[in-house]
Amino acid sequence: MTPTDGIKNQALQRLLDELGRLPGVGPKSAQRIAYHLLEKDSEEARRLTDAILDVKSLVHFCPVCFSYATGETCDVCADSGRDHSIICVVSEPRDVSAIERTHSYNGTYHVLGGAFSPLDGIGEEELHVKELLSRLADGSVAEVILATNPDVEGEATATYLARKYLAPLNIKVTRLASGLPVGGELEFADEVTLGRAIEGRQAI
């Protein structure tokens, strides 16, 4: 092996290592992606690089709901045609996209930024709970939909918020109805199942 081969191998290994850090990308997937990029011209790699840099520089968290935004606020919060008297509380920004694909919901959102997980050191202070309560303070919100994932952490988060903070406010509190599998995640649910869950939500 020549010194040049060593440099090339180091560069390839660095790419494989970085790709392997991505969620859901194992060693074999990282190899497929890396070899695909190697087989394409530099322009395709440059477009991918530019797209990553653009999304990092242009996309930020909405200061109102903490979903992704490119403007001062996200498109949902800025839309006067949405029903701002309803807030759907989700764990992650990707859950907003999942619900929006159903075309069954016309309210607004609030992204907690995770779910309660004491073993991982994630409690109330690590989530956007105070900001949610601030949005409810003026009495303009009539309903809060708790749409955290139907797993142990998500159920614990929904129950905690409902009992400790939402019940005393005399606001209608609902939870996504049946249709979502226990232990599943919103981003992997199909549009029909998630749409039915939104439409069939129940008071808790």
Side-chain angles (χ1 to χ4, degrees):
M1 182 177 70
T2 67
T4 303
D5 291 333
I7 294 173
K8 289 180 180 178
N9 287 340
Q10 289 176 12
L12 177 58
Q13 188 57 52
R14 181 185 175 192
L15 177 59
L16 291 170
D17 291 342
E18 293 303 320
L19 290 172
R21 297 177 191 274
L22 298 175
V25 178
K28 290 185 178 180
S29 295
Q31 280 189 348
R32 284 195 295 269
I33 297 171
Y35 292 144
H36 170 80
L37 293 173
L38 285 172
E39 292 168 2
K40 301 300 179 179
D41 57 30
S42 298
E43 181 57 31
E44 183 166 336
R46 188 174 294 109
R47 287 198 301 268
L48 176 60
T49 302
D50 290 344
I52 294 173
L53 293 175
D54 283 347
V55 77
K56 290 298 293 181
S57 63
L58 298 176
V59 179
H60 57 89
F61 289 114
C62 174
V64 177
C65 71
F66 299 95
S67 185
Y68 294 131
T70 54
E72 184 176 345
T73 62
C74 71
D75 292 342
V76 172
C77 288
D79 187 353
S80 60
R82 307 284 298 216
D83 187 349
H84 288 258
S85 70
I86 305 176
I87 296 178
C88 181
V89 179
V90 297
S91 296
E92 303 290 350
R94 60 178 175 264
D95 299 332
V96 172
S97 298
I99 293 177
E100 284 296 283
R101 288 197 301 269
T102 70
H103 303 291
S104 301
Y105 177 68
N106 192 46
T108 60
Y109 296 92
H110 189 84
V111 180
L112 292 173
F116 292 151
S117 181
L119 293 179
D120 297 321
I122 301 176
E124 181 178 329
E125 295 301 320
E126 286 69 39
L127 305 177
H128 299 300
V129 175
K130 290 181 180 178
E131 292 83 354
L132 172 62
L133 298 178
S134 177
R135 294 178 66 184
L136 303 176
D138 63 3
S140 63
V141 176
E143 179 182 2
V144 173
I145 304 170
L146 296 174
T148 51
N149 288 323
D151 54 19
V152 175
E153 292 81 7
E155 292 292 345
T157 302
T159 301
Y160 178 85
L161 291 177
R163 292 179 178 176
K164 183 173 182 179
Y165 292 116
L166 302 179
L169 296 179
N170 197 29
I171 294 175
K172 182 180 180 181
V173 181
T174 55
R175 185 86 169 107
L176 292 188
S178 59
L180 293 176
V182 175
E185 295 185 4
L186 289 179
E187 66 173 316
F188 299 120
D190 64 273
E191 288 85 349
V192 175
T193 299
L194 193 52
R196 288 176 179 172
I198 285 285
E199 294 168 351
R201 62 186 183 273
Q202 301 174 346
I204 60 174

